[in-house]
């Protein structure tokens, strides 16, 4: 479900920032420091002080490993994507803000759900569901924090997912879930397929990739959960930066002087300033495209015997 962190001060030229957590995450805890309990998305001295006219939201979903990955992981990720889109559309309709620009902040596998949701939204242009298309049209930028993107190898995806489970899921869950490791290979194939769906859409978004620069304590050993090459692929027209934290803490900031905070917030400020004009133009094109499709459909009906 969507939770509102901050309302925009002026509906005109406002934009939405939507944060989506990852595996075993939480819509509030994921973004909150353990030491001081500061949630940088909400604390008045942090992000809200920079984005006064942003509607900041966080999206929560069932993120236990068996609800995201496993033998039915394709269906489950698609279910989460459908729900994210449906909740965003409903919220924006009720707020009379269907064309408001969107910037996503994604941690870990939350980025996979957002990629699947945008691919779903992009494909919905028929008359009965064209409102679903609005999320794709309105999305301006995406910050991916530790999301695995490397679709070149199932083994790499499976390996990254194993590390995520080892670091983020209680050991008793892993021990008692007998089919989990066997299902990871299928889960990795799903992640690869989602990446394949998303790549053709990337040119329409401003994208910033972040990777973890510290290894995560996994009990017996320490390791990078998502390697730099997977979290921040080198691609044209995208930005990339390392954050000096482990996988769990790379999306948490204690204060304005926290390492990496200024890079992340500067990107959000830049996107929020650029988004209204770009998304407005995109909507003009989308409205014409949808009108043209409706006209073509009407002509086909008239020509049919």
């Amino acid at each position: 479900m969507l939770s509102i962190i901050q309302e925009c001060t002026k509906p005109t030229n406002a934009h939405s920032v939507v944060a989506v957590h990852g595996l075993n995450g939480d819509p509030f805890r994921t973004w909150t420091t353990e030491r001081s309990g500061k949630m940088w998305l909400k604390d008045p001295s942090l992000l809200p002080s920079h984005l006064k006219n942003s509607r900041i939201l966080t999206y929560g979903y069932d993120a236990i490993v068996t609800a995201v990955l496993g033998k039915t992981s394709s269906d489950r990720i698609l279910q989460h994507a459908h729900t994210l889109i449906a909740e965003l559309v409903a919220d924006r309709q009720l707020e009379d803000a269907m064309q408001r620009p969107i910037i996503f902040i994604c941690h870990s596998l939350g980025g996979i759900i957002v990629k699947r949701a945008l691919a779903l939204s992009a494909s919905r242009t028929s008359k009965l569901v064209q409102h679903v298309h609005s999320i794709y049209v309105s999305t301006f930028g995406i910050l991916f924090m530790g999301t695995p993107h490397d679709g070149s190898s199932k083994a790499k995806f499976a390996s990254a997912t194993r590390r995520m489970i080892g670091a983020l899921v209680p050991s008793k869950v892993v021990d008692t879930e007998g089919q989990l490791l066997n299902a990871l290979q299928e889960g990795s194939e799903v992640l690869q397929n989602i990446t394949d769906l998303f790549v053709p859409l990337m040119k329409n978004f401003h994208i910033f990739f972040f990777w973890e620069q510290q290894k995560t304590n996994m009990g017996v050993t320490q390791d990078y959960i998502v390697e730099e090459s997977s979290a921040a692929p080198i691609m044209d027209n995208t930005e990339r930066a390392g954050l000096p934290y482990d996988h769990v803490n790379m999306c948490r900031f204690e204060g304005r002087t926290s390492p990496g905070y200024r890079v992340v917030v500067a990107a959000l400020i830049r996107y929020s300033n650029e988004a209204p004009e770009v998304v407005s133009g995109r909507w003009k094109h989308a409205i014409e495209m949808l009108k043209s499709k409706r006209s073509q459909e009407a002509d086909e009906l008239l020509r049919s015997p």
Side-chain angles (χ1 to χ4, degrees):
M1 62 176 289
L2 283 172
S3 299
I4 301 168
I5 302 298
Q6 172 182 277
E7 287 285 7
C8 54
T9 55
K10 301 176 184 176
T12 306
N13 288 329
H15 56 276
S16 295
V17 174
V18 182
V20 183
H21 65 80
L23 191 65
N24 208 44
D26 176 89
F28 298 95
R29 180 170 44 84
T30 290
W31 316 99
T32 303
T33 59
E34 291 184 354
R35 191 179 75 181
S36 63
K38 276 193 177 182
M39 183 182 184
W40 67 282
L41 301 175
K42 184 178 182 179
D43 191 290
S45 66
L46 298 176
L47 187 62
S49 70
H50 300 284
L51 300 181
K52 293 183 172 64
N53 203 33
S54 294
R55 194 161 193 261
I56 303 175
L57 308 102
T58 181
Y59 178 69
Y61 59 96
D62 186 357
I64 62 171
V65 65
T66 51
V68 179
L69 298 168
K71 288 196 171 181
T72 58
S73 55
S74 178
D75 291 340
R76 285 169 174 168
I77 289 174
L78 183 57
Q79 287 168 8
H80 290 314
H82 271 291
T83 305
L84 171 59
I85 292 293
E87 293 216 16
L88 283 171
V89 169
D91 178 74
R92 291 159 68 81
Q93 283 182 327
L94 292 172
E95 295 295 320
D96 192 24
M98 287 294 284
Q99 297 185 15
R100 181 178 290 166
I102 301 171
I103 302 166
F104 284 102
I105 306 173
C106 313
H107 178 239
S108 191
L109 286 178
I112 301 297
I113 291 172
V114 167
K115 292 199 302 187
R116 187 66 187 90
L118 289 171
L120 171 70
S121 175
S123 69
R124 294 303 192 260
T125 56
S126 63
K127 184 177 181 179
L128 294 179
V129 292
Q130 65 183 31
H131 56 283
V132 175
H133 191 65
S134 66
I135 303 304
Y136 165 72
V137 177
S138 298
T139 298
F140 178 83
I142 312 169
L143 274 62
F144 289 110
M145 308 176 87
T147 295
H149 299 283
D150 189 349
S152 63
S153 166
K154 291 182 188 178
K156 284 185 179 180
F157 264 139
S159 177
T161 312
R162 283 191 183 93
R163 292 194 296 271
M164 286 184 195
I165 291 170
L168 304 175
V169 180
S171 59
K172 62 182 179 181
V173 175
V174 178
D175 293 339
T176 56
E177 190 61 42
Q179 296 180 332
L180 182 57
L181 291 180
N182 292 333
L184 288 180
Q185 195 72 13
E186 183 175 341
S188 65
E189 183 174 355
V190 170
L191 301 187
Q192 179 176 337
N193 292 340
I194 291 171
T195 292
D196 292 342
L197 287 172
F198 183 73
V199 165
L201 309 178
M202 288 180 62
K203 63 182 181 295
N204 298 305
F205 311 126
H206 286 62
I207 292 176
F208 209 133
F209 296 120
F210 294 94
W211 73 89
E212 63 215 59
Q213 291 182 310
Q214 293 184 7
K215 294 181 178 181
T216 299
N217 186 347
M218 302 172 67
V220 178
T221 184
Q222 292 189 338
D223 203 352
Y224 296 110
I225 305 302
V226 182
E227 295 175 355
E228 176 190 344
S229 59
S230 180
I234 300 174
M235 306 178 75
D236 289 341
N237 300 315
T238 62
E239 298 177 88
R240 60 198 305 273
L243 294 174
Y245 305 97
D246 63 18
H247 187 75
V248 175
N249 291 296
M250 67 184 302
C251 56
R252 299 168 173 172
F253 301 105
E254 287 279 357
R256 290 187 173 214
T257 59
S258 296
Y261 174 82
R262 293 169 67 86
V263 176
V264 171
V265 172
L268 291 170
I269 294 171
R270 185 166 63 252
Y271 292 173
S272 67
N273 289 336
E274 297 173 0
E277 182 179 354
V278 173
V279 171
S280 176
R282 224 184 261 168
W283 265 105
K284 290 176 184 176
H285 175 76
I287 289 169
E288 289 302 315
M289 179 271 291
L290 292 170
K291 282 182 180 177
S292 176
K293 287 180 74 71
R294 300 295 82 83
S295 178
Q296 290 172 12
E297 291 165 358
D299 289 344
E300 289 171 5
L301 283 173
L302 289 173
R303 288 197 299 268
S304 62

